[in-house]
Amino acid sequence: MPPYEQVRVHYASAISNRELPVGAKLPTVRALAKDLGLAVNTVARAYRELEEAGLVETRGRAGTVVSANGDNNRERIRAAAAQYATMSTELGLTSQEALEIVRAALRP
């Protein structure tokens, strides 16, 4: 897994698990790059991808913080899961079949 992806996955997981609450400030790109021994552009790419996913927002000199959109994204996925559950039941799938389809879709 490329280093930027490792950084992105780490922070995405911490945000989704609420280890980092809404409004929590992330380290600066330069500081994190130095701490991890990575190039600044590597960390910047990870932060960009987190921002594109709506998990963080960059506030100029105020830094990068965990976005409230992360909670909205969680609610959106819950609604999509409920819709999927309803559709799979209507189509006659068992819970096991429905879960297997989801697991297959989540595999890279």
Side-chain angles (χ1 to χ4, degrees):
M1 184 181 301
Y4 79 88
E5 184 69 6
Q6 292 175 34
V7 172
R8 188 196 65 76
V9 167
H10 168 77
Y11 278 104
S13 176
I15 292 167
S16 69
N17 293 335
R18 294 194 170 107
E19 294 168 28
L20 288 173
V22 172
K25 191 171 180 178
L26 273 59
T28 65
V29 170
R30 290 186 191 281
L32 186 58
K34 182 179 177 185
D35 288 348
L36 298 176
L38 298 172
V40 171
N41 287 340
T42 300
V43 174
R45 180 174 179 183
Y47 277 27
R48 250 190 332 274
E49 291 193 10
L50 289 167
E51 190 164 22
E52 288 170 7
L55 296 174
V56 300
E57 53 188 63
T58 301
R59 299 179 178 165
R61 292 189 175 263
T64 302
V65 297
V66 176
S67 171
N69 286 338
D71 284 341
N72 293 342
N73 288 343
R74 186 179 290 271
E75 191 53 43
R76 287 175 55 208
I77 201 68
R78 277 191 198 110
Q83 184 178 11
Y84 176 74
T86 299
M87 181 182 288
S88 65
T89 300
E90 289 171 356
L91 295 173
L93 273 68
T94 66
S95 295
Q96 185 64 31
E97 290 170 321
L99 288 172
E100 287 173 12
I101 291 169
V102 171
R103 283 189 190 98
L106 290 171
R107 283 188 206 116

